[in-house]
Amino acid sequence: MKYISQKIINQLFLLLVIICIAGLLVFEMAPYLSGVLGAITIYVLLRKPMKKLVSKGWNPVLSAIVLLLLSIICILIPISGIILMIGNKVSNLGKNSQEIIDILKNQLEKLEYYLGFDLSSQIDTSQLSTFVSDKLQSVAGSTFEIVLSVFIMYFLLYYMLTNRRKLRETLYEYIPLAKDNIKIISEDVVSMVRSNAIGIPLVAIAQGIIAIIGFFIFGIENPVFWFVMVTIGSMIPFVGGMLGIIPAFILTLANGDAFQAWGILLYGIIIVGSTDNLIRLFFLKRIDNVHPLITLIGVIIGVPLFGFIGLIFGPLLLSLFLLIIKIYKNEYGEKI
């Protein structure tokens, strides 16, 4: 009868302990994972400027502080402003959801008159209003968790910038992979971050700018808010700028401004829709592209997990997962 080696038993026990502790740490850190991902993302974007400043004789601590302040001004403050604006609009929509649904139902009844279908009688407006209100209110995340995630992000980012060499040495020491595969991970992570954190937002902002021109041309109310909605929608494959165009069309039509409503709808379909591919071709040919399915699934995973910034971190997390599988295959797969 064969017995399992004591060495193997000890090894399996140690691996079990490591997995259990790692699982506990991940479970407890899950609400703040966006802070860790944010630190990695901004580090990839700032490491070259940091290297240039240090090479010019700047003190590493001063260089890191300057870059952190710039990231707050250029990244954190605009994102915070967008979240606050969307939060206020969501709150107002939640309070007036019954009125909005009644307006939409009236418009649907007019459409039924021309099409000969009866749909509005099947809609329970009070129940739908409660559902919409609850869902809209749930969009806003916990303030404490957001503040703590931002603190974690900048705390990690400061030490990542000021201890770049030690960070690299630590990764080589503790990651149980060959050095060549660690280099592949590093290069692929940089590529993914550039695409997810620079390419996708740039394309979305460019499409939002085209849309806001139309909002001003046709005199749509709250053009800046609809610009933000088009920009957010442009980050989601198969949704696109229609996330802002269609609601703007419906609300404008409900207010009785038929010309402006149909004008912005046609503008969105013809102008915004047709320029989408051109904008993507212009930007993404300079930055590695991400497959639309990865982006879509990443958004579906990321938004419930991270909230608004899940639009960026969701695809990034999924891309990292696929990269780890690729590295595992290269490291331990059979050589054919």
Side-chain angles (χ1 to χ4, degrees), residues 4 23 52 67 80 89 92 101 196 199 211-212 215 252 261 267 317:
I4 300 175
K52 287 182 180 179
L67 290 175
S80 299
K89 290 292 182 181
N92 291 334
I101 289 172
N196 285 283
I212 198 173
F215 294 139
T252 305
Y267 181 90
L317 187 62

Side-chain angles (χ1 to χ4, degrees), residues 31 34 37 135 138-142 145-146 232-233 235-237 243 294-317:
S34 58
L37 288 173
K135 290 299 179 183
S138 67
V139 170
S142 170
E145 288 183 358
I146 292 174
I232 292 173
M235 297 184 189
I236 308 173
L243 183 67
I294 293 178
T295 304
L296 178 62
I297 297 172
V299 168
I300 292 171
I301 295 169
V303 171
L305 189 60
F306 303 122
F308 173 75
I309 54 176
L311 291 169
I312 295 175
F313 291 155
L316 179 60
L317 187 62

Side-chain angles (χ1 to χ4, degrees), residues 8 29 32 34 36 67 69 81 91 97 107 129 143 154 166 175 185 235 259 266 270 294 297 308 312 326 336:
I8 294 177
M29 283 293 295
Y32 316 111
S34 58
V36 177
L67 290 175
L69 289 175
S91 178
S97 57
Q107 293 299 321
S129 173
T143 304
Y154 277 99
K166 188 175 181 181
I175 295 180
I185 291 177
M235 297 184 189
F259 174 78
L266 292 174
I270 298 171
I294 293 178
I297 297 172
F308 173 75
I312 295 175
K326 175 183 174 182
I336 300 176

Side-chain angles (χ1 to χ4, degrees), residues 3-16:
Y3 292 93
I4 300 175
S5 168
Q6 184 65 37
K7 185 177 181 180
I8 294 177
I9 293 175
N10 293 342
Q11 185 178 5
L12 290 174
F13 176 76
L14 186 59
L15 285 173
L16 180 63

Side-chain angles (χ1 to χ4, degrees), residues 99-112:
E99 180 182 348
I100 293 171
I101 289 172
D102 287 340
I103 292 173
L104 295 178
K105 188 176 179 180
N106 291 334
Q107 293 299 321
L108 184 59
E109 288 173 350
K110 293 179 181 178
L111 186 62
E112 288 171 356

Side-chain angles (χ1 to χ4, degrees), residues 132-296:
V132 171
S133 180
D134 291 343
K135 290 299 179 183
L136 289 174
Q137 295 298 332
S138 67
V139 170
S142 170
T143 304
F144 175 75
E145 288 183 358
I146 292 174
V147 171
L148 190 55
S149 293
V150 170
F151 174 79
I152 290 171
M153 180 177 73
Y154 277 99
F155 181 82
L156 288 174
L157 185 58
Y158 172 79
Y159 283 100
M160 290 170 76
L161 288 172
T162 55
N163 295 275
R164 289 174 295 124
R165 183 176 298 176
K166 188 175 181 181
L167 175 65
R168 184 171 60 250
E169 293 172 353
T170 301
L171 291 176
Y172 278 115
E173 181 180 355
Y174 285 101
I175 295 180
L177 295 173
K179 288 189 176 181
D180 291 340
N181 281 331
I182 296 178
K183 289 181 180 178
I184 292 173
I185 291 177
S186 176
E187 292 171 359
D188 284 359
V189 166
V190 171
S191 175
M192 286 185 300
V193 167
R194 289 177 64 218
S195 179
N196 285 283
I198 299 179
I200 293 175
L202 279 178
V203 169
I205 291 170
Q207 194 167 10
I209 291 172
I210 292 174
I212 198 173
I213 294 172
F215 294 139
F216 279 116
I217 290 173
F218 293 101
I220 305 300
E221 292 184 7
N222 300 314
V224 176
F225 172 73
W226 296 120
F227 157 77
V228 171
M229 296 307 296
V230 170
T231 302
I232 292 173
S234 298
M235 297 184 189
I236 308 173
F238 313 114
V239 174
M242 292 299 106
L243 183 67
I245 298 294
I246 291 178
F249 160 74
I250 292 172
L251 292 177
T252 305
L253 188 63
N255 289 333
D257 301 321
F259 174 78
Q260 289 88 340
W262 288 105
I264 194 59
L265 180 63
L266 292 174
Y267 181 90
I269 294 173
I270 298 171
I271 306 298
V272 179
S274 62
T275 55
D276 179 51
N277 291 330
L278 294 175
I279 294 171
R280 292 182 188 279
L281 181 64
F282 178 78
F283 280 109
L284 297 183
K285 71 180 181 180
R286 293 169 171 78
I287 302 174
D288 293 332
N289 201 356
V290 177
H291 195 282
L293 281 179
I294 293 178
T295 304
L296 178 62

Side-chain angles (χ1 to χ4, degrees), residues 47-114:
R47 65 191 185 98
K48 284 188 177 180
M50 179 71 181
K51 187 176 180 180
K52 287 182 180 179
L53 289 177
V54 173
S55 65
K56 290 181 179 180
W58 283 50
N59 181 279
V61 173
L62 179 61
S63 301
I65 292 173
V66 170
L67 290 175
L68 291 181
L69 289 175
L70 286 176
S71 73
I72 290 172
I73 295 170
C74 299
I75 299 174
L76 187 61
I77 292 178
I79 290 177
S80 299
I82 290 172
I83 292 174
L84 288 174
M85 182 176 66
I86 293 176
N88 289 333
K89 290 292 182 181
V90 164
S91 178
N92 291 334
L93 286 174
K95 293 175 182 177
N96 302 302
S97 57
Q98 179 65 51
E99 180 182 348
I100 293 171
I101 289 172
D102 287 340
I103 292 173
L104 295 178
K105 188 176 179 180
N106 291 334
Q107 293 299 321
L108 184 59
E109 288 173 350
K110 293 179 181 178
L111 186 62
E112 288 171 356
Y113 176 77
Y114 295 103

